[in-house]
Amino acid sequence: MSTVTKPDTRRLDFGDLMHRYGTFVILIVLLAVASMLSDVFLTQRNLMNVLRQVAATGLMAVGMLFVILTRGIDLSVGSVSALGSVVSAVLVQQMAPGLAIGATVVVGAACGLVSGLLVAFLRLPAFVTTLAVMTIARGAAFIASSGQPIRMGEAGQTITAFGTGFVAGVPYPVLLMLAVFVIAGLVLTYTRFGRLVKAIGSNRDAVRLSGISVSRYEVAVYVISGILAAAAGIISSSRTGIGSANIGVGAELDAIAAVVIGGASLMGGRGSALNTFVGVFILGIIANLMNLANVPGYHQQVFMGVIIIGAMLLQYGSSFFRR
Amino acid sequence: MTEVVQLSGIRKSFGGIHALKGVDFVLRSGEVHALLGENGAGKSTLMRVLGGEHLPSEGEIRIDGLSAVFHRPADAMQRGIVVIHQEMALVPDLSVAENIFLAELPRLISWREMKRRARDIIQRLGFDIQPQAMVRDLSVAQQQVVEIAKALSRNARVIVFDEPTAVLSVQDAERLLTIIRDLRDQGVGVVYISHRLDEVFRIADRMTVMKDGTTVGMVEKSAVTIDDVIRMMVGRRLDALFGEDVPREIGRELLRTEGLGRGNVVRDVSLTVRAGEIVGLGGLVGAGRTELVRLIFGADRHDAGRIFVAGQQMRIRRPGDAVRAGIGLVPESRKDQGVVLDMPIRVNATMARLDPLTNLVGVVRRRAERQAVDALSDQLRIKASSQDAPVSSLSGGNQQKVVLAKWFHAEGRVLIFDEPTRGVDVGAKTEIYSLIRRFAAEGKAVLVVSSEHHELFGLCDRILVMREGRLAGQLMPPDYSEEKLLKLAMTSNANAA
């Protein structure tokens, strides 16, 4: 039977607006609330602090964004960052810092490659596949570090210098994160790769039937995610100069939360780098606020969850209640 | 023999489409009543009304002479009416016994009792299926038996079979026909929908022929021949949809397949299409036409045969291979496979050939792309507010033109259309026909799959007809008639056509 397409009724209503610009509304509300609650909040020092604390999450969120755009998910990023942290700390003792970092990135890429090949070619569900890679990477990190924190010491000076240094008042890790976000934004907007990644998430069949090798792109996004997760691991250990298999526990959830608060669809095809950055920033502000307000650690987790649900309701709930 | 079902003046519309325009249908108990008609004649819709899946917009359903209103399938089942669809309604991960009694499972299941009753019913049908076997592990024929058993467990007095043998092997189909005869002899009223006319003539007592949402007539089997029935199904239609054909020069062979096949869905298909030629692929739904063109395009992988483009053998294992070989496919399901609905027209139109619009680092050259898409929009007369508008904002006809634009931009040599005008309004249809012709006139090879026969007649230089995965024959212009096409598509003694 033939179907009749409904005429396009595009009204600018509240739900639609919230859906599109909700992320920014949340950011503005949060900034307003924060500046009322605390005199310290809106200082440059504090804002830089917020950004530095989310630098690692931000890198992982960019990788997650690419994966989610293809309608996938990467649960392994937290563990891969731990592996990256340990591997960089071990290798930096044995080789030039540049080489050590390069090798660490390769390890991250390899983790992503495993997930990507399994998901793209064997069509295994991304959720379970990356869950498995998550435990493998975490285990490998513990093995490589023998369960002990590894001091980078003298050899790791370049890395710690990067972790603690500033340029014009902006910490290096923050610069790196911003650069990665800008590049991701450009890639998504202007390149064939970015365009096809979104198209694949939106309608995989149609892209495949246009003669495009969909699997290659799917593998690529997991590799990107693995690389950025390993880089996030290096960033995490660069401030303290200690590589540890214990970092990044639950970081995948922060990354997913940032992407989703940024308005991306877990069904693929929709999301942007700018919005994801705002999502990351929002998570950072909430954590920072609770610190400034002396909310105890465990309570913070509960609040964080509640606030994330609230943010989602604001974006999606209004269109739900309209029905 | 009493009249167990009486449908009178049944109308049903979906949106603006009138699927049923006042249908009368009478079924007696203890008869096999065939319901015949072309695809889209309204047979399945009528049976969905009887089975409680659709509420009719108008008209009356009488069961045993009493007026009835069915809001949901359960209401119809209550009155002993069961519709068995082609896509069966079984739960694959439950056992045979659980499936048979699914609707009336007691809160606490006595396995022994349930298995015993299931075995009884299955044996009554002359089959041997273990009640504890998982439905997933059964053959299609066995699953159908479970469906019938499910119907019998509810004391069905009317059973509707919608294309029951389409998915069965010859032997299994034979056994099914035996079961149906037994059911009839036990007093069940059977409605039998099938495209296999020889089969229908063996089993039916009476036939009702439908066309375009109305009944053409009801006949006793003994009073008619297959040719009479085909003539009733076809009727007469005239179309001035096709406009002028442009002069085309038929050149060298561009596409050839040799013994192409996949499983038993497509078997041993050898065909050629020449430059400037438009070749049609006719046949019934499920004859393997879509499956065949998907093999040629690499959307599915063939396991037998070879594909040649311009005389050269091509290894086509995925769509990318086909596109590189110069083949394009306008797929059957536009929204699922043809376009990325949420993305702009521009992105969709250039997707199949981004290379010339991309620089070394992979950045798309926007200005060049805009110019290319502007040219395509003009050429194909795509009506849209801007090339950045999402395809979802376009009408069906314009969406289809975006798919055409994609393949015009890809500059292939062979273009395959699968149901090119499905869900497209009349005006856009004419435009699409002339675009297909223009494409051929440029010296390219065109293959068109269509279930609308007049579309094939109006557009194609010759028509290949498929039946059950094979090429059943070919029609050339003086022979273009629906009778001949249907005869090739529906009967096994095709040579008599």
Side-chain angles (χ1 to χ4, degrees):
Chain A
M1 289 295 112
S2 33
T3 50
V4 178
T5 35
K6 275 186 211 150
D8 190 19
T9 49
R10 193 161 294 176
R11 287 176 304 142
L12 274 186
D13 51 45
F14 179 73
D16 193 40
L17 278 176
M18 281 317 292
H19 199 100
R20 269 196 244 175
Y21 303 109
T23 316
F24 296 94
V25 174
I26 296 166
L27 177 67
I28 290 164
V29 171
L30 262 182
L31 286 175
V33 171
S35 50
M36 280 190 295
L37 286 181
S38 159
D39 301 336
V40 204
F41 179 78
L42 269 184
T43 59
Q44 194 212 358
R45 207 183 127 86
N46 185 53
L47 284 180
M48 278 308 148
N49 206 16
V50 170
L51 282 178
R52 179 161 49 194
Q53 266 154 7
V54 295
T57 309
L59 290 183
M60 287 185 266
V62 172
M64 189 68 74
L65 172 65
F66 276 95
V67 174
I68 283 178
L69 279 174
T70 66
R71 207 174 182 167
I73 191 99
D74 188 353
L75 299 180
S76 69
V77 291
S79 297
V80 173
S81 77
L83 185 59
S85 159
V86 169
V87 167
S88 63
V90 170
L91 290 184
V92 82
Q93 319 285 338
Q94 296 156 14
M95 54 182 82
L99 274 182
I101 289 172
T104 306
V105 166
V106 170
V107 169
C111 293
L113 187 65
V114 171
S115 304
L117 290 175
L118 292 172
V119 170
F121 286 100
L122 299 183
R123 310 290 296 141
L124 297 186
F127 191 94
V128 187
T129 307
T130 58
L131 192 65
V133 172
M134 164 175 149
T135 79
I136 294 171
R138 179 73 64 187
F142 276 111
I143 295 169
S145 65
S146 312
Q148 300 296 318
I150 298 171
R151 287 182 188 287
M152 293 185 178
E154 286 286 299
Q157 243 172 14
T158 326
I159 294 181
T160 42
F162 179 84
T164 50
F166 292 82
V167 100
V170 184
Y172 283 119
V174 173
L175 274 182
L176 176 68
M177 172 183 73
L178 292 177
V180 168
F181 267 108
V182 169
I183 292 169
L186 293 176
V187 165
L188 285 176
T189 319
Y190 292 107
T191 69
R192 159 174 28 200
F193 179 81
R195 166 186 294 193
L196 291 180
V197 160
K198 281 199 241 176
I200 287 167
S202 191
N203 187 345
R204 186 180 194 275
D205 257 2
V207 177
R208 191 174 98 90
L209 290 181
S210 298
I212 288 150
S213 167
V214 169
S215 313
R216 283 222 305 263
Y217 288 87
E218 284 175 335
V219 173
V221 293
Y222 287 93
V223 171
I224 290 172
S225 178
I227 289 173
L228 290 176
I234 302 176
I235 298 271
S236 301
S237 41
S238 67
R239 262 175 90 195
T240 53
I242 294 172
S244 161
N246 281 311
I247 67 157
V249 175
E252 59 280 351
L253 299 181
D254 291 337
I256 294 169
V259 172
V260 173
I261 290 175
S265 162
L266 287 177
M267 303 309 282
R270 226 184 46 233
S272 80
L274 176 61
N275 280 43
T276 300
F277 173 71
V278 174
V280 170
F281 197 36
I282 287 172
L283 288 182
I285 293 172
I286 296 172
N288 179 252
L289 258 186
M290 290 195 289
N291 277 335
L292 293 178
N294 291 321
V295 178
Y298 296 139
H299 295 64
Q300 284 198 12
Q301 294 190 13
V302 175
F303 269 113
M304 185 67 106
V306 170
I307 290 170
I308 290 174
I309 291 176
M312 303 304 300
L313 278 178
L314 203 54
Q315 285 189 48
Y316 295 96
S318 47
S319 56
F320 174 77
F321 290 119
R322 248 184 318 153
R323 272 196 293 230
Chain B
M1 290 214 278
T2 55
E3 291 178 343
V4 49
V5 173
Q6 287 168 288
L7 302 179
S8 43
I10 301 288
R11 288 175 182 276
K12 178 70 192 172
S13 315
F14 300 97
I17 314 282
H18 304 289
L20 299 176
K21 309 169 187 165
V23 179
D24 301 323
F25 180 78
V26 175
L27 177 72
R28 296 184 191 141
S29 58
E31 75 162 340
V32 176
H33 195 134
L35 192 55
L36 304 171
E38 293 184 84
N39 299 321
K43 299 167 303 210
S44 294
T45 310
L46 183 66
M47 288 303 112
R48 283 176 198 279
V49 167
L50 176 61
E53 287 169 67
H54 294 325
L55 200 61
S57 321
E58 261 178 63
E60 191 180 34
I61 303 175
R62 281 174 175 275
I63 307 298
D64 299 326
L66 297 173
S67 185
V69 179
F70 299 148
H71 290 282
R72 56 189 75 84
D75 297 344
M77 286 174 196
Q78 199 85 48
R79 305 295 301 269
I81 296 163
V82 176
V83 181
I84 297 178
H85 291 296
Q86 213 176 339
E87 53 287 352
M88 284 175 262
L90 298 173
V91 185
D93 289 315
L94 288 183
S95 69
V96 169
E98 286 167 295
N99 266 285
I100 292 178
F101 300 109
L102 194 60
E104 44 195 274
L105 281 180
R107 279 208 187 77
L108 206 58
I109 297 171
S110 156
W111 279 93
R112 195 195 303 176
E113 169 73 5
M114 192 164 71
K115 277 198 272 193
R116 190 186 57 71
R117 285 176 53 200
R119 190 172 288 121
D120 283 352
I121 298 175
I122 295 170
Q123 270 168 3
R124 210 174 115 200
L125 293 170
F127 267 74
D128 184 28
I129 302 170
Q130 291 303 313
Q132 65 271 27
M134 287 292 144
V135 163
R136 185 183 289 291
D137 300 330
L138 302 183
S139 71
V140 182
Q142 288 174 322
Q143 293 187 12
Q144 215 148 32
V145 170
V146 175
E147 277 277 18
I148 299 170
K150 195 167 143 186
L152 291 180
S153 80
R154 296 177 190 167
N155 300 317
R157 295 178 307 135
V158 173
I159 303 183
V160 179
F161 289 92
D162 194 350
E163 293 273 357
T165 56
V167 287
L168 297 185
S169 70
V170 179
Q171 295 93 320
D172 287 335
E174 218 44 59
R175 292 178 80 179
L176 180 70
L177 294 190
T178 313
I179 293 178
I180 289 176
R181 280 195 202 97
D182 288 347
L183 291 173
R184 174 189 63 190
D185 296 342
Q186 290 165 23
V188 176
V190 175
V191 181
Y192 192 80
I193 300 178
S194 175
H195 284 304
R196 298 184 178 177
L197 289 184
D198 26 11
E199 192 178 278
V200 167
F201 267 76
R202 282 174 45 214
I203 192 161
D205 302 306
R206 299 194 298 172
M207 307 172 199
T208 293
V209 178
M210 291 186 69
K211 176 176 162 49
D212 296 337
T214 55
T215 32
V216 181
M218 200 271 291
V219 291
E220 298 279 342
K221 179 187 58 186
S222 48
V224 290
T225 65
I226 287 192
D227 284 341
D228 295 336
V229 172
I230 290 180
R231 211 162 297 128
M232 287 173 76
M233 284 164 58
V234 168
R236 285 284 152 237
R237 289 186 285 223
L238 284 176
D239 282 281
L241 269 174
F242 295 93
E244 291 270 303
D245 199 353
V246 277
R248 284 182 278 126
E249 194 176 320
I250 310 284
R252 68 194 183 113
E253 163 203 307
L254 280 185
L255 174 70
R256 178 166 97 243
T257 69
E258 283 180 3
L260 199 64
R262 177 185 169 89
N264 52 14
V265 186
V266 176
R267 287 179 287 187
D268 192 28
V269 172
S270 300
L271 58 80
T272 59
V273 187
R274 310 172 81 83
E277 198 180 22
I278 303 177
V279 175
L281 264 182
L284 302 170
V285 169
R289 298 167 304 165
T290 295
E291 291 77 3
L292 170 63
V293 297
R294 281 176 64 90
L295 291 190
I296 297 174
F297 187 65
D300 300 315
R301 215 169 273 189
H302 58 273
D303 53 24
R306 294 181 293 174
I307 299 168
F308 298 82
V309 175
Q312 235 189 321
Q313 188 179 344
M314 298 288 173
R315 229 170 91 92
I316 295 179
R317 296 159 62 79
R318 51 184 70 87
D321 299 337
V323 172
R324 270 187 297 279
I327 304 175
L329 171 69
V330 176
E332 177 182 32
S333 163
R334 178 169 60 244
K335 289 182 180 174
D336 294 336
Q337 306 177 326
V339 287
V340 183
L341 276 177
D342 294 336
M343 299 199 84
I345 295 166
R346 176 172 49 78
V347 170
N348 275 281
T350 58
M351 190 175 284
R353 195 171 65 108
L354 270 170
D355 279 334
L357 302 175
T358 313
N359 72 10
L360 280 177
V361 278
V363 173
V364 180
R365 292 184 289 128
R366 279 292 175 93
R367 186 178 302 175
E369 186 181 39
R370 285 191 176 284
Q371 283 169 359
V373 176
D374 273 338
L376 286 167
S377 297
D378 285 351
Q379 201 186 344
L380 280 77
R381 289 198 279 164
I382 297 173
K383 292 181 202 75
S385 52
S386 111
Q387 50 171 270
D388 291 317
V391 174
S392 56
S393 67
L394 303 181
S395 69
N398 279 298
Q399 289 182 0
Q400 190 71 330
K401 286 192 206 164
V402 173
V403 186
L404 294 197
K406 176 165 77 180
W407 295 115
F408 274 48
H409 176 71
E411 294 184 345
R413 292 173 285 186
V414 177
L415 193 47
I416 304 171
F417 296 86
D418 194 354
E419 304 288 357
T421 61
R422 181 176 285 176
V424 161
D425 64 82
V426 178
K429 265 187 188 178
T430 305
E431 284 184 87
I432 287 170
Y433 294 142
S434 81
L435 287 169
I436 292 176
R437 280 184 174 139
R438 207 162 79 205
F439 195 77
E442 286 169 12
K444 300 179 174 170
V446 175
L447 192 58
V448 181
V449 175
S450 177
S451 296
E452 295 187 44
H453 297 148
H454 61 289
E455 186 166 294
L456 291 176
F457 297 149
L459 204 56
C460 301
D461 301 317
R462 57 194 168 90
I463 299 167
L464 304 170
V465 182
M466 288 189 77
R467 186 171 56 83
E468 291 171 12
R470 296 175 192 278
L471 287 185
Q474 174 173 295
L475 291 179
M476 303 285 276
D479 282 339
Y480 277 3
S481 77
E482 299 196 44
E483 284 92 343
K484 286 186 173 144
L485 203 159
L486 280 179
K487 195 143 190 176
L488 279 174
M490 292 172 114
T491 54
S492 39
N493 54 340
N495 298 334

